Amino acid sequence: MQLTGVKAEAGASLQIPTRMRRLRASPSLRRLFGETHLTENDFALPLFLIGGLNRREPISSLPQIYRYSVDEALLCIRSYLDRGVHAFALFPKVPHEKKSWDAKEALSQDSLIARALRLFSQEFPEATFIADVALDPFTTHGHDGLLLEGKIVNDATVEVLGKMACLYAEAGAHLVAPSDMMDGRVAHIRKALDQAGFTSVGILAYSAKYASSLYHPFREAVGSCLSFGDKCSYQLNPANRREAILEALLDEEEHADILLVKPASLYLDVICEIKKRTLRPVAAYHVSGEYTMVMAADAQGLLDAREVFFETLMSIKRAGADLIFSYAIDQILEDL
Ligand code: PBG
């Protein structure tokens, strides 16, 4: 007791002020003592695909982001690989005539994503391709599951997702990414993949996917706007954190390889908490609305998109994300 008292007194009598600014004095020092660094290896680029050839279509809801036909996507992927970005998450825009109540196009050998995966995985063995597994681009109503008497039915949807995952694995996907939030889908997909011999194809589970207002630009991009209702009976309530952790732990138990939180910047507490409770990699999806808000403010001269994105993505990594899906990679790549 006495000793500590003496020590404290001696320190005080020296009157040495604590100067936190010493290590912030130069760019070099700041870089040396930066606790978090962004690199090309932190990112996966969402890529929107359309049918046809030689097409590169602007997306009105997502400034500077395009939909590509498969041949054009080859050039796009090549240009990112040249700049060090090597993970791509594929999303299809399915024409209306191919959508149906039972989402049968999702299981077509000849679907846009199946064809793209066959080509891309051959052409770019150095890249990682992530195939989204959910029914919303393929259903006429835009929901992620099959609809029966006005309700999204869980187990019948999960059956289809298992088949879809196998189709994508066979076509060359390295990771399949169930983004639907049905119960039990990770275990079912794992079993289906293993039974079909795809033991090395991983599952990136959208574990904590919130019912967010920030997905609208994406739904425009893939043409999956809801014809009725909302997704609150399967996506998470933004008020809940413990439920998100439970979802992530369940997915881990069901053998998910990676656990994803979505959206990202409004849910940093969730990323942080899940990271503390798992030894699996944690991913985060910096979603379409998070991108479009900043681009809109930038276009009006109110904010600098490059600065805001750099800070946002840094925060997402600081919170614990090991992999970040983002549309803003172009804006920050030069600053890495
Ligand atoms: C649907 C899906 C959504 C996104 C990715 N997969 C939207 C939704 O749930 O309606 C959103 C991604 C984004 O907003 O960038 N399976």
Side-chain angles (χ1 to χ4, degrees):
M1 280 305 275
Q2 212 191 347
L3 256 183
T4 11
V6 170
K7 245 190 185 168
E9 229 168 70
S13 68
L14 282 174
Q15 288 187 328
I16 299 172
T18 304
R19 294 196 183 273
M20 293 302 291
R21 292 180 54 198
R22 259 180 225 126
L23 300 186
R24 299 178 200 149
S26 72
S28 169
L29 282 163
R30 293 195 291 272
R31 276 187 89 82
L32 285 172
F33 299 107
E35 296 174 32
T36 311
H37 302 274
L38 289 172
T39 81
E40 292 84 352
N41 296 314
D42 294 320
F43 298 109
L45 180 79
L47 211 56
F48 297 108
L49 299 176
I50 38 170
L53 279 176
N54 206 11
R55 293 172 73 191
R56 181 177 178 271
E57 225 174 61
I59 302 171
S60 56
S61 58
L62 283 164
Q64 294 173 37
I65 305 288
Y66 299 84
R67 298 184 196 94
Y68 299 93
S69 56
V70 169
D71 57 321
E72 284 287 320
L74 289 172
L75 305 175
C76 171
I77 293 168
R78 170 51 59 210
S79 92
Y80 280 97
L81 288 172
D82 290 344
R83 289 177 286 157
V85 175
H86 53 93
F88 304 91
L90 308 182
F91 297 97
K93 177 159 198 246
V94 178
H96 201 74
E97 62 278 11
K98 289 197 172 164
K99 297 187 188 226
S100 59
W101 65 273
D102 60 351
K104 75 170 184 301
E105 178 63 13
L107 299 183
S108 160
Q109 287 285 335
D110 207 30
S111 76
L112 186 53
I113 296 296
R115 283 188 290 118
L117 283 166
R118 280 182 208 112
L119 187 68
F120 298 168
S121 59
Q122 284 296 313
E123 197 75 19
F124 306 112
E126 68 273 49
T128 296
F129 293 102
I130 305 166
D132 195 72
V133 175
L135 302 186
D136 51 305
F138 307 97
T139 53
T140 35
H141 43 72
H143 279 286
D144 292 44
L146 300 173
L147 189 69
L148 206 68
E149 292 165 359
K151 293 216 162 76
I152 305 300
V153 289
N154 196 89
D155 300 6
T157 301
V158 169
E159 283 292 319
V160 183
L161 298 178
K163 292 184 183 140
M164 200 175 165
C166 290
L167 169 69
Y168 289 164
E170 183 167 31
H174 304 96
L175 298 171
V176 291
S179 65
D180 55 291
M181 291 300 281
M182 297 300 122
D183 288 323
R185 89 280 207 215
V186 173
H188 180 82
I189 289 172
R190 185 70 272 159
K191 273 188 216 144
L193 288 172
D194 286 1
Q195 269 165 18
F198 302 115
T199 50
S200 59
V201 171
I203 300 179
L204 186 158
Y206 285 65
S207 299
K209 178 173 179 179
Y210 283 89
S212 172
S213 54
L214 296 169
Y215 306 149
H216 282 284
F218 172 96
R219 291 180 193 163
E220 283 288 327
V222 301
S224 67
C225 293
L226 292 174
S227 64
F228 73 93
D230 57 41
K231 298 193 176 186
C232 295
S233 78
Y234 43 105
Q235 299 181 346
L236 290 172
N237 178 350
N240 294 359
R241 180 167 55 194
R242 296 194 317 151
E243 190 185 3
I245 294 159
L246 183 54
E247 281 281 7
L249 296 179
L250 283 170
D251 283 355
E252 182 174 31
E253 242 173 67
E254 293 181 29
H255 294 279
D257 298 279
I258 304 154
L259 309 171
L260 182 138
V261 176
K262 170 183 177 187
S265 56
L266 297 184
Y267 297 85
L268 296 181
D269 57 330
V270 179
I271 297 173
C272 182
E273 196 67 34
I274 291 176
K275 183 63 177 258
K276 279 192 213 150
R277 299 201 189 213
T278 182
L279 294 174
R280 293 282 179 191
V282 174
Y285 201 140
H286 176 234
V287 301
S288 57
E290 297 176 274
Y291 173 82
T292 293
M293 284 194 286
V294 175
M295 292 301 278
D298 179 278
Q300 290 199 40
L302 302 174
L303 283 174
D304 181 320
R306 273 175 65 170
E307 285 176 12
V308 177
F309 285 139
F310 195 83
E311 183 178 340
T312 307
L313 295 167
M314 186 66 90
S315 308
I316 296 168
K317 185 165 183 190
R318 190 191 64 229
D322 300 290
L323 176 69
I324 306 171
F325 286 45
S326 179
Y327 305 95
I329 297 175
D330 267 0
Q331 282 84 352
I332 56 113
L333 215 43
E334 278 175 33
D335 298 324
L336 297 185

